[in-house]
Amino acid sequence: MAGAEDGPGQQPELDEDEAAYCRRWGAQHAGARELAALYSPGKRFQEWCCVVLCFSLIAHNLVHLLLLARWEHTPLVMLGVVAGALIADFLSGLVHWGADTWGSVELPIVGKAFIRPFREHHIDPTAITRHDFIETNGDNCLVTLLPLLNMAYKFRTQSPEALEPQYPWECFVFCLIIFGTFTNQIHKWSHTYFGLPRWVTLLQDWHIILPRKHHRIHHVSPHETYFCITTGWLNYPLEKIGFWRRLEDLIQGLTGEKPRADDMKWAQKIK
């Protein structure tokens, strides 16, 4: 199966069966329409609340970190930035792999709220480019609320002297939170071929964030590799050691569940 996306101007060669399959792909796909319709007003409200609270806490914590900054912290802070990006990339892959591979849209609470977008994305990869800032980032903001609240509590209850020895650690945690919060925005940019700000395309070209061409590897059916979507740095090494396949084999052996069964079910809907 050819990739779900190709670069501007590229015309991949498809055989007759692939061409028929791809005509059902995208926003007009029956499964994509059904999944998009499951996005509810309640879910929208949850996303709004999470985004507002998350970015308020980010601003609060950033101000306190800047007030505590010292030049002597620079080497450890730089190390924390890199470590935060690496761990965020791995966690993005773990969540992405888990939601792509296991579970069902029919599961109570988490199915429609959190697994649904992953199913829609494989059927209609460019749907994410039509999502606004709230829908794109609401779930990630929910995930990072707890560590942001914990950090804000420390800044409100501890003295600068008490926080001084913890400063490099708090910077690492903050960088991890920032990369985690913006993972889906970065993912959206990797599907956007027109109208991106120059600074975004530079970050992609320098592979500081997930590049567009790199992410297309994941969108070759059956979507079983290159799950990390923050920076993409860990995709190649994890693929070389067969990390995800070994994990799937272990879980399938223990539970009998078949990987990506629900994902395939939605992809095969034709009306």
Side-chain angles (χ1 to χ4, degrees):
M1 171 78 193
E5 287 191 329
D6 290 280
Q10 293 182 337
Q11 297 295 329
E13 294 182 4
L14 303 177
D15 61 32
E16 187 175 339
D17 290 339
E18 285 181 315
Y21 185 76
C22 286
R23 281 195 292 270
R24 301 199 304 270
W25 216 251
Q28 299 308 311
H29 185 284
R33 295 197 304 271
E34 187 175 341
L35 288 163
L38 295 175
Y39 183 66
S40 67
K43 174 65 175 170
R44 179 71 173 182
F45 178 71
Q46 169 251 305
E47 290 171 344
W48 260 106
C49 292
C50 290
V51 168
V52 171
L53 183 55
C54 176
F55 280 91
S56 298
L57 288 167
I58 285 174
H60 173 275
N61 293 340
L62 177 60
V63 168
H64 281 80
L65 284 171
L66 291 174
L67 291 173
L68 291 170
R70 301 290 183 273
W71 281 110
E72 55 267 27
H73 293 142
T74 302
L76 286 177
V77 169
M78 296 301 294
L79 181 62
V81 171
V82 175
L86 279 169
I87 294 175
D89 198 41
F90 177 75
L91 292 176
S92 77
L94 192 63
V95 172
H96 188 187
W97 166 81
D100 271 8
T101 309
W102 311 106
S104 165
V105 176
E106 284 74 34
L107 285 173
I109 303 175
V110 298
K112 290 182 181 179
F114 301 108
I115 294 178
R116 177 198 64 82
F118 290 87
R119 300 293 178 268
E120 180 188 17
H121 184 58
H122 283 171
I123 302 170
D124 184 9
T126 59
I128 192 173
T129 66
R130 301 189 296 274
H131 296 168
D132 64 7
F133 187 85
I134 301 298
E135 186 174 356
T136 299
N137 298 289
D139 288 341
N140 289 61
C141 287
L142 172 63
V143 171
T144 56
L145 279 181
L146 191 58
L148 282 168
L149 285 166
N150 180 59
M151 184 178 290
Y153 176 77
K154 288 182 182 179
F155 287 139
R156 301 296 292 180
T157 60
Q158 297 184 24
S159 67
E161 292 75 19
L163 289 166
E164 176 77 18
Q166 307 173 44
Y167 186 79
W169 170 258
E170 297 299 337
C171 286
F172 158 72
V173 172
F174 187 76
C175 288
L176 175 59
I177 290 169
I178 292 297
F179 278 110
T181 299
F182 283 98
T183 286
N184 215 34
Q185 184 65 51
I186 292 169
H187 181 205
K188 176 179 177 177
W189 287 333
S190 76
H191 285 276
T192 305
Y193 286 99
F194 304 101
L196 284 176
R198 179 61 177 158
W199 63 271
V200 172
T201 60
L202 285 174
L203 291 176
Q204 290 175 331
D205 291 343
W206 297 336
H207 207 152
I208 296 172
I209 62 175
L210 183 70
R212 289 167 288 185
K213 185 178 292 186
H214 179 95
H215 184 54
R216 287 208 301 271
I217 297 171
H218 173 72
H219 279 277
V220 176
S221 184
H223 313 287
E224 60 185 5
T225 188
Y226 276 46
F227 291 100
C228 300
I229 54 173
T230 303
T231 63
W233 298 344
L234 294 177
N235 281 321
Y236 181 75
L238 289 175
E239 177 64 18
K240 289 299 289 183
I241 65 174
F243 181 81
W244 305 115
R245 289 189 298 275
R246 293 173 190 270
L247 205 52
E248 287 171 15
D249 290 344
L250 176 63
I251 293 173
Q252 187 172 11
L254 291 172
T255 67
E257 294 292 324
K258 184 179 179 181
R260 285 169 291 280
D262 188 64
D263 195 47
M264 186 59 66
K265 180 190 78 173
W266 286 97
Q268 291 174 340
K269 283 181 176 281
I270 58 175
K271 58 183 176 180

